Amino acid sequence: MAQVPQTFDALAVRTWCGLALRALGRAREEIDAINVYPVADGDTGTNLYLTLESAATAVEAVFAGYETGCAEPSLADAVRAMAHGALIGARGNSGTILAQLLRGMAQVLAENGDAPHTDGSGLGLALRRAADSARQAVARPVEGTVLTVASAAAEAAEGAEGDCGTVARAAYEGARAALAATPDQLAALKRAGVVDAGGRGLVAVLGALVEVFTGESVRQAPRREGSRREGSGREGSGRQAPLAGAAPEEGALGQGVPGEAPRGETSPGDAPRAGTPLGGPLPGEALPAGAPQAPGAAPAGHARGQDVAAPDLCADAADAGGPAFEVIYLLEADDAAVARLRTRLDTLGDSLVVVGGDGLWNVHVHVDDAGAAVEAGVEAGRPYRIRITHFGLGDAHTGRGRPPREPAQRAVVAVVPGEGLAGLYTEAGATTVLARPGEPPASGELVQAVRRAHAREVVLLPNDAELRHTAAAAAEQARTEGIRVALIPTRSAVQGIAALAVHEPERRFDEDVVQMTSAAGATRYAEVVVAEHQSWTTAGICQAGDVLGLIDGDVAVIGTDVTATARTVLDRMLQAGGELVTLVVGDEAPGTVAARLEARVRESYLAVDTVVYRGGRQGALLLIGVE
């Protein structure tokens, strides 16, 4: 048996994230299927998975930053990254509460920044802070929800004496018992005959924590009201119903830290697998990639097995009524402004959860006037990553939505680095996923975008070499749902523009993919950025603040002036020939850089055309493409 930690350190945090992600991946469909409160929209399992995937990705990034040296991240480093990742990636009501639970734990575990680990007592204090902070974040707490389950876990953990394994197991058993009792506390659950979906997800996360310290899998949590009797009495005395989706054999995604569970390991139809930081090389990148449809694949959000009882969502939702929109955004604001925002949003709708702190917040609310909710955020500070979801044109609250529209034959899904390019791609007919600087999308976000495109055939453009594995995982997951997906490994948004320019939906799928791949491959790409710190590069040593020109991913020019560096990069690229130069200008680039480069092309390269786009907040000062 592999050695397991007896204290909670940075590696234990990393392992916990991996195990919890796997547990939520396996249980995602089951949790989605029992989601009846506060809105029966069947996405609690998916939202929890995506939130934790963001947290796990952030923790992996911290460990990656220490790979070049002998030091390892501290416990404070790991838990802060986990909390921040969950905050910026939180999805839905359940994901937002999970983010605050993790933040509460991080506040305790990071108090002594120099401590390499904590013991069972410290873990118990962290779980108590987690439960208290989550309850404080919810405007109108309701018993019988994940808040009740979290409080029960904290109370059990505080009463336990021993090492981290003992405390974690006590918290898990306390949460499991509280989850089984949720139907008696919330009428919506009682009518549907299910336990609380968010609480079910938290039990899975706490079960993973037990496995970190004991190396042993825990008993499965109840999913239906009647299941709570199975968990009572002696261990193993009741029948244990299998989770929806059997656990798969360990595969390519199971590469990671020694002794650590594979990240994102799921079975077909379960949650999307984790991206690059959480796994090794992935299959499915060959082109064209028209995989056959998976027979019997379950629609997203529905359980496949006979064991999961589908609750009567329509009856409960019709009785409950409720706001029409879910509004979520990140917000940069001070504490006083957020306090005023809470009061304002509480008058506009329900299910209000505001989590975060230190100037960065995640706001979630259900309202009828989505515009007013966003305007309230603008008054408080700077809202961004705004997501507004209509609850199904009546289906979420009445159970009687319009008939599903016929899927399109073909669509393009593209990752774009800025708002400007997102608009350009959208005008060209693509479904976009925005990748902000330092916040790459997770595989689950790409899968959701593929579903949102609502097409039988999808061409996926990652537009970033670092997203290759993430995109491959998303493509593989979408194929299990019966969608034919081709992944074109574009490494820059300018290559994606070239591919999109030759896209013709009327062509046969394979022919279209070949033409788009050829156009992308024929486009050389470059970017101009500012160095953040001193570093060795292929062009020599750069200092913090230097202007770097990268051609095809490698540093080719080191300079001090943005326009001069960009001109040198452009000249080098055009030495090999070219017919069209594409410039994508970021918000922080000098205002005259595009005009000067256009003039340079006109004067020195008479047969070359130039096109300029505004990229917005895209990270790089300038993107350059030469076809």
Side-chain angles (χ1 to χ4, degrees):
M1 178 180 295
Q3 184 176 3
V4 294
Q6 300 303 313
T7 57
F8 201 31
D9 58 10
L11 184 58
V13 173
R14 187 187 199 189
T15 305
W16 181 32
C17 287
L19 289 170
L21 190 64
R22 183 176 68 174
L24 287 175
R26 287 173 170 169
R28 179 185 67 86
E29 287 186 350
E30 170 208 328
I31 297 172
D32 283 346
I34 64 173
N35 173 200
V36 299
Y37 184 87
V39 175
D41 49 355
D43 63 357
T44 291
T46 299
N47 287 336
L48 288 170
Y49 181 92
L50 292 174
T51 301
L52 192 57
E53 184 181 43
S54 182
T57 300
V59 172
E60 288 297 324
V62 167
F63 273 85
Y66 281 84
E67 285 180 354
T68 55
C70 298
E72 292 185 353
S74 65
L75 173 61
D77 291 333
V79 294
R80 284 172 181 152
M82 176 183 68
H84 180 72
L87 176 67
I88 64 174
R91 297 299 187 94
N93 186 71
S94 55
T96 307
I97 293 174
L98 175 61
Q100 189 67 2
L101 287 167
L102 296 180
R103 178 178 173 82
M105 290 188 68
Q107 288 174 333
V108 171
L109 298 174
E111 280 179 344
N112 187 353
D114 297 330
H117 54 75
T118 193
D119 56 12
S121 175
L123 179 59
L125 291 174
L127 290 169
R128 167 49 63 192
R129 178 76 66 84
D132 291 345
S133 62
R135 188 170 288 270
Q136 292 165 6
V138 177
R140 301 178 184 275
V142 175
E143 297 306 325
T145 65
V146 63
L147 299 177
T148 304
V149 176
S151 294
E155 184 175 350
E158 286 182 315
E161 296 182 1
D163 58 16
C164 286
T166 301
V167 172
R169 185 173 290 280
Y172 170 77
E173 294 296 346
R176 192 173 185 274
L179 175 65
T182 54
D184 295 328
Q185 298 173 292
L186 201 55
L189 304 179
K190 186 75 171 179
R191 287 196 298 270
V194 297
V195 297
D196 179 66
R200 169 67 182 88
L202 178 59
V203 168
V205 172
L206 291 173
L209 186 62
V210 175
E211 190 172 350
V212 170
F213 298 115
T214 66
E216 301 173 358
S217 298
V218 296
R219 292 185 297 166
Q220 295 170 6
R223 71 192 67 180
R224 290 170 291 177
E225 183 185 3
S227 299
R228 66 185 187 273
R229 291 186 294 271
E230 297 171 12
S232 61
R234 297 186 305 275
E235 175 119 358
S237 61
R239 181 180 62 85
Q240 303 273 335
L243 292 175
E249 295 181 2
E250 189 168 323
L253 283 175
Q255 308 301 317
V257 180
E260 179 182 10
R263 305 289 202 284
E265 183 180 297
T266 61
S267 51
D270 283 338
R273 296 185 178 181
T276 305
L278 307 182
L282 295 167
E285 194 173 324
L287 295 171
Q293 295 187 356
H302 295 275
R304 290 173 293 150
Q306 297 295 321
D307 194 68
V308 178
D312 184 1
L313 308 184
C314 300
D316 180 65
D319 292 342
F325 296 96
E326 177 185 61
V327 178
I328 307 175
Y329 49 79
L330 291 178
L331 177 70
E332 294 177 358
D334 58 36
D335 291 2
V338 170
R340 293 191 297 271
L341 175 66
R342 289 179 192 269
T343 302
R344 171 66 176 142
L345 292 180
D346 193 33
T347 65
L348 290 176
D350 58 28
S351 297
L352 173 60
V353 185
V354 181
V355 304
D358 302 321
L360 180 62
W361 309 82
N362 192 307
V363 179
H364 169 280
V365 66
H366 294 173
V367 294
D368 282 319
D369 189 346
V374 175
E375 288 173 7
V378 173
E379 292 173 2
R382 189 180 78 85
Y384 61 100
R385 292 185 68 172
I386 301 168
R387 293 191 296 271
I388 299 174
T389 303
H390 194 298
F391 287 126
L393 295 175
D395 57 337
H397 291 293
T398 69
R400 295 182 294 274
R402 298 176 183 174
R405 62 186 174 92
E406 185 70 16
Q409 182 59 35
R410 190 173 309 158
V412 176
V413 173
V415 180
V416 291
E419 295 89 344
L421 280 179
L424 173 68
Y425 273 77
T426 300
E427 289 176 6
T431 297
T432 60
V433 178
L434 191 61
R436 294 185 179 276
E439 299 176 11
S443 62
E445 294 180 78
L446 300 188
V447 173
Q448 286 197 329
V450 171
R451 293 171 182 154
R452 194 168 69 247
H454 197 57
R456 299 182 180 90
E457 301 167 341
V458 171
V459 179
L460 182 57
L461 306 175
N463 291 338
D464 187 338
E466 297 297 324
L467 290 177
R468 180 172 62 92
H469 297 305
T470 304
E476 183 179 342
Q477 169 63 24
R479 290 180 192 126
T480 68
E481 299 176 9
I483 303 171
R484 191 179 186 191
V485 181
L487 170 60
I488 299 179
T490 48
R491 296 172 176 267
S492 170
V494 292
Q495 288 189 325
I497 292 173
L500 199 56
V502 300
H503 168 54
E504 290 187 12
E506 293 77 18
R507 277 196 296 239
R508 287 197 312 110
F509 185 59
D510 290 351
E511 292 178 358
D512 197 28
V513 170
V514 168
Q515 291 299 318
M516 294 177 72
T517 303
S518 178
T523 302
R524 300 189 67 196
Y525 64 96
E527 60 181 318
V528 178
V529 300
V530 176
E532 296 181 356
H533 49 75
Q534 184 186 57
S535 179
W536 287 89
T537 76
T538 52
I541 301 176
C542 71
Q543 305 295 327
D546 282 349
V547 180
L548 307 181
L550 291 82
I551 299 177
D552 295 336
D554 294 323
V555 177
V557 181
I558 301 175
T560 57
D561 179 77
V562 174
T563 301
T565 302
R567 185 171 58 245
T568 302
V569 168
L570 184 57
D571 286 339
R572 291 193 184 184
M573 295 178 74
L574 287 172
Q575 285 177 359
E579 299 176 353
L580 176 65
V581 171
T582 300
L583 303 176
V584 183
V585 185
D587 281 349
E588 297 181 0
T592 61
V593 64
R596 292 188 178 184
L597 293 177
E598 283 186 283
R600 175 67 173 174
V601 172
R602 283 196 306 270
E603 295 167 3
S604 303
Y605 306 95
L606 301 180
V608 179
D609 295 324
T610 305
V611 59
V612 179
Y613 301 109
R614 298 293 168 181
R617 295 177 64 241
Q618 62 182 21
L621 298 175
L622 181 69
L623 301 178
I624 304 174
V626 174
E627 301 176 47

